[in-house]
């Protein structure tokens, strides 16, 4: 029987036919499409005509389109709806794809043609996007070993194969450790301080596990309320240590050796390609350009944030002493006393706010904001297949009713889904032969589930997360480029967070909150005093929060900006890095690196700093919106035309300057964070 994955999908808008796909279809389909793509590559290299942009660069760009589609479906499922079978398949498929990627990048005949077009580029009348595609292609070869002698190419292949397996294994271990832990409580007295919503969710969790009482897990919607509200310090400690010791317990899921192997292989790979470190290799293709620039950026922010963080920590310490006669603050006290102090200072807590943030209303709100800024309409549809019944599907239309994108939204935790929130792509946007093929975009989150008595009510932090991921989604949906590899979020990693982070700003604005922040029972708009307090408290403990983010960026650079070969003990290395940023006593049982999925499983190696980097961009960009009005059509059009629709077609700083008229100023971020005086 024909494998449906190897054909164009006969579905509405060629969407993924999830319910018809069987796990066993993936491996044969991927093997088949690798074979077909190799034939397409052979046709390019066998072409008797002299290499030019069309017969080499463009032909290469559009080769393997079906392979790209299948692999994006497979790996998205491995993140959002995985199981043992998919994980086992991933261990087989990843090395195959890594090998295949190397077959292309190390194909001498192909590189010869690409290089020929590259060397002749000055004589070709290419537009900006074509020039960028040519440069990206040439660099993709040269940065991945095309200029190496055969023996070194073989070493590179071996390294890449090992790295793809190691990062998968790393992620599987973190997921296994997250799922393995549960805190089962049968005495309600132990749960004093926890809001009704958290208790109800924990009771539902217990019921789903056929247990009496309450069950808490390490998934954020369960973990965070316990750490924030539980008066029982021992419970907080137990949860904190469980969370912090994931994959650091000397058992079969321990990631210590994986971390060491990953960083050493990355270093070896960088040296093979004639780069000093992995960070030098990565940052060449980032706005920051060099590890020195990143380190000085982090140090500059550290210098501004540390005095504020130390002041805030002292304030928190004396508050805990005054409240509960606590002598020494520990990590498991952080969220609890921060929340208590915040309530005392602002009389504002998540439980007061949550009734105003019903998930459906927040979704409606972000859709309305997208409509007011960019003219988009969102129509929920049942005709599009889903990979899980909880997923919501939408057609996204422009002002003229034309299809802009297909949008999937998947909001609640379940065992087969990794923690956190992310945006992803099931099909890129591209243009060919007069056809502008529209993208299929998805956001995946882990928000508080509805309970028997209440709908899904979001914490304010979850509201900003939804806006963040939706900002990424807009970048994908509004893509309007010719080539798929330059489309949507295919931009420098330290630029990709600009659209997501800038959209979070609307969550703090009265004009925007009035659209969607309505009480789920009375439909009353969020009281103005709450809006004021949200704004006031936005910079509460900002120094400590900034220090925490900087510590993660510094840890990342410590693994990737030096030769890590001599690092024997992960925990000792980590402690040394954290010396300059740590405020709380060290906990020997925990380790950040063994569960730092962003840099060891995701794509953020030597790139974690980019969250802060993009915050500088987004604070500066939002000042422009504020100057003209947060729903200014003029500023929105500039942002759409110069940033959201452009993908990676030009240097990000050029795109930004076209939008803003000037380079971004770090002071905009420091002003917003309350770390320097406002103008």
């Amino acid at each position: 029987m024909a494998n449906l994955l190897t054909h164009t999908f006969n579905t509405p808008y060629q969407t993924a036919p999830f319910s018809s796909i069987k796990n066993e279809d993936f491996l044969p389909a991927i093997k088949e499409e690798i074979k077909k793509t190799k034939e397409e590559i052979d046709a390019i290299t066998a072409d008797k005509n002299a290499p030019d942009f069309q017969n080499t660069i463009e032909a290469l760009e559009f080769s393997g389109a079906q392979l790209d589609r299948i692999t994006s479906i497979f790996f998205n499922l491995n993140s959002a709806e995985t199981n043992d079978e998919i994980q086992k398949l991933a261990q087989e498929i990843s090395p195959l794809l890594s090998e295949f990627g190397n077959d292309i990048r190390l194909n001498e005949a192909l590189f010869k043609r690409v290089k020929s077009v590259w060397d002749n580029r000055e004589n070709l009348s290419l537009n900006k996007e074509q020039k960028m595609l040519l440069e990206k292609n040439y660099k993709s070869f040269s940065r991945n070993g095309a200029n190496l002698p055969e023996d070194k190419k073989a070493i590179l292949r071996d390294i890449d194969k090992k790295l793809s397996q190691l990062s998968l294994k790393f992620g599987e271990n973190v997921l296994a450790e997250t799922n393995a832990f549960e805190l089962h409580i049968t005495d309600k007295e132990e749960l004093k301080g926890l809001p009704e919503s958290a208790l109800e969710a924990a009771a539902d969790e217990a019921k789903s596990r056929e247990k009496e009482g309450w069950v808490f897990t390490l998934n954020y919607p369960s973990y965070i309320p316990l750490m924030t509200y539980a008066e029982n310090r021992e419970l907080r400690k137990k949860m904190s240590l469980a969370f912090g010791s994931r994959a650091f317990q000397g058992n079969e899921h321990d990631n210590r050796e994986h971390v060491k192997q990953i960083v050493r292989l990355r270093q070896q790979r960088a040296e093979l390609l004639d780069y000093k470190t992995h960070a030098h290799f990565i940052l060449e293709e980032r706005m920051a350009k060099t590890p020195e620039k990143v380190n000085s950026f982090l140090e500059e922010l550290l210098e501004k944030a540390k005095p504020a963080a130390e002041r805030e920590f002292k304030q928190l310490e004396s508050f805990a002493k005054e409240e509960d006669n606590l002598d020494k603050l520990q990590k498991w006290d952080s969220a609890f006393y921060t929340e208590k102090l915040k309530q005392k200072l602002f009389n504002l807590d998540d439980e007061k706010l949550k009734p105003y943030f019903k998930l459906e209303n927040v979704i409606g709100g972000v859709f309305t904001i997208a409509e007011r800024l960019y003219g988009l309409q969102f129509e929920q549809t049942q005709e599009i297949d889903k990979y899980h019944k909880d997923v919501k599907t939408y057609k996204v239309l422009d002002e003229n009713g034309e299809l802009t994108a297909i949008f999937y939204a998947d909001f609640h935790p379940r065992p087969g889904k990794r923690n956190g929130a992310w945006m992803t792509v099931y099909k890129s946007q591209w243009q060919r032969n007069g056809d502008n093929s529209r993208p299929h975009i998805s956001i995946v989150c882990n928000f508080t589930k509805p309970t028997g008595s209440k709908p899904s009510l979001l914490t304010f932090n979850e509201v900003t997360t939804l806006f963040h991921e939706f900002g990424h989604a807009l970048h994908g949906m509004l893509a309007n480029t010719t080539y798929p590899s330059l489309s949507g979020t295919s931009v420098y990693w330290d630029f990709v967070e600009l659209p997501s982070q800038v959209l979070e700003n609307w969550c703090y604005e009265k004009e925007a909150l009035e659209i969607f922040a309505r009480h789920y029972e009375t439909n009353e708009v969020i009281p103005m005093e709450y809006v004021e307090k949200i704004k006031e408290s936005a910079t509460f403990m900002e120094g400590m929060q900034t220090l925490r983010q900087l510590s993660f960026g510094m840890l990342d650079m410590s693994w990737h900006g030096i030769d890590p070969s001599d690092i024997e003990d992960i925990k000792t290395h980590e402690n040394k890095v954290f010396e300059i940023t740590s405020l709380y006593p060290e906990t020997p049982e925990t380790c950040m690196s063994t569960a730092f999925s962003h840099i060891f499983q995701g794509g953020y190696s030597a790139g974690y700093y980019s969250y802060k980097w993009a915050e500088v961009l987004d604070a500066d960009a939002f000042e422009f919106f504020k100057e003209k009005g947060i729903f200014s059509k003029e500023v929105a059009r500039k942002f759409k035309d110069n940033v959201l629709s452009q993908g990676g077609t030009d240097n990000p700083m050029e795109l930004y300057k076209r939008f803003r008229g000037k380079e971004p100023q770090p002071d905009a971020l420091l002003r917003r964070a309350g770390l320097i005086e406002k103008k």
Side-chain angles (χ1 to χ4, degrees), residues 247-304:
F248 184 64
Q249 300 186 62
N251 59 14
E252 60 180 323
H253 298 127
D254 196 286
N255 267 338
R256 272 173 279 200
E257 283 308 310
H258 295 122
V259 168
K260 287 198 286 195
Q261 287 175 47
I262 289 169
V263 295
R264 285 170 185 174
L265 284 168
R266 283 173 176 170
Q267 176 65 18
Q268 209 182 322
R269 190 182 193 283
E271 287 175 5
L272 199 62
L273 294 166
D274 214 18
Y275 291 87
K276 192 176 169 189
T277 67
H278 178 67
H280 285 83
F281 171 76
I282 291 290
L283 293 167
E284 185 180 70
E285 292 290 274
R286 300 285 189 264
M287 287 177 84
K289 294 297 176 207
T290 67
E292 293 72 27
K293 184 88 182 274
V294 171
N295 288 329
S296 68
F297 169 72
L298 294 173
E299 280 158 20
E300 185 188 343
L301 285 181
L302 179 65
E303 196 184 310
K304 301 265 175 35

Side-chain angles (χ1 to χ4, degrees), residues 334-601:
S334 172
F336 180 73
Y337 285 106
T338 299
E339 182 62 25
K340 268 188 124 170
L341 179 57
K342 185 172 164 184
Q343 285 183 35
K344 184 183 171 187
L345 295 177
F346 303 103
N347 189 21
L348 183 74
D349 67 56
D350 269 332
E351 289 311 301
K352 259 189 194 154
L353 295 174
K354 275 168 80 170
Y356 295 95
F357 295 129
K358 180 181 165 185
L359 174 60
E360 289 72 11
N361 291 351
V362 181
I363 296 166
V366 83
F367 286 173
T368 302
I369 288 165
E371 182 188 351
R372 287 184 62 179
L373 290 170
Y374 307 115
L376 297 175
Q377 308 281 336
F378 292 79
E379 278 181 15
Q380 194 163 356
T381 173
Q382 299 306 323
E383 65 176 327
I384 292 166
D385 209 347
K386 307 168 177 190
Y387 55 85
H388 190 276
K389 63 180 172 47
D390 289 352
V391 177
K392 294 172 164 56
T393 49
Y394 300 87
K395 286 194 289 188
V396 187
L397 309 172
D398 68 11
E399 286 134 317
N400 306 315
E402 296 289 319
L403 186 78
T404 294
I406 298 296
F407 179 52
Y408 300 84
D410 178 1
F411 290 118
H412 303 298
R414 50 181 180 265
K417 188 197 257 195
R418 68 177 166 90
N419 238 332
W422 61 95
M423 166 269 185
T424 188
V425 181
Y426 280 100
K427 181 200 157 302
S428 297
Q429 175 272 335
W430 43 263
Q431 295 180 55
R432 201 176 193 195
N433 304 329
D435 176 25
N436 190 333
S437 183
R438 299 312 301 164
H440 302 173
I441 304 297
S442 169
I443 62 173
V444 187
C445 306
N446 280 280
F447 293 150
T448 311
K449 285 179 174 175
T451 63
S453 67
K454 287 190 183 75
S456 175
L457 300 175
L458 305 189
T459 65
F460 187 68
N461 193 34
E462 288 177 324
V463 174
T464 58
T465 298
L466 195 152
F467 271 69
H468 179 100
E469 297 310 331
F470 193 77
H472 281 309
L474 286 172
H475 202 182
M477 290 187 242
L478 291 169
N480 198 26
T481 62
T482 309
Y483 304 112
S485 73
L486 298 178
S487 176
T489 55
S490 303
V491 299
Y492 280 180
W493 212 258
D494 45 9
F495 190 59
V496 79
E497 295 298 335
L498 166 61
S500 54
Q501 288 180 189
V502 81
L503 198 67
E504 289 182 42
N505 288 283
W506 272 260
C507 300
Y508 297 91
E509 298 296 321
K510 173 179 178 285
E511 254 182 290
L513 284 166
E514 284 174 348
I515 296 169
F516 64 88
R518 291 174 173 272
H519 198 285
Y520 77 101
E521 288 173 318
T522 64
N523 205 33
E524 169 211 1
V525 173
I526 192 166
M528 219 31 251
E529 63 182 289
Y530 288 5
V531 176
E532 285 310 314
K533 284 174 179 173
I534 286 173
K535 290 200 77 153
E536 270 178 49
S537 64
T539 59
F540 178 62
M541 296 291 164
E542 186 65 37
M544 281 171 71
Q545 190 49 39
T546 300
L547 207 60
R548 184 172 174 269
Q549 282 291 96
L550 293 175
S551 73
F552 296 167
M554 287 169 165
L555 180 62
D556 172 26
M557 291 306 288
S558 79
W559 283 119
H560 297 116
I562 59 161
D563 180 347
S565 313
D566 296 338
I567 300 170
E568 281 307 325
D569 187 84
I570 285 186
K571 180 68 176 167
T572 308
H573 171 73
E574 205 172 89
N575 284 351
K576 205 167 147 207
V577 176
F578 286 157
E579 254 170 36
I580 193 167
T581 54
S582 65
L583 299 166
Y584 292 94
E586 212 284 294
T587 45
E589 308 93 319
T590 65
C591 183
M592 166 84 189
S593 299
T594 55
F596 200 171
S597 300
H598 270 80
I599 68 169
F600 294 121
Q601 186 198 4

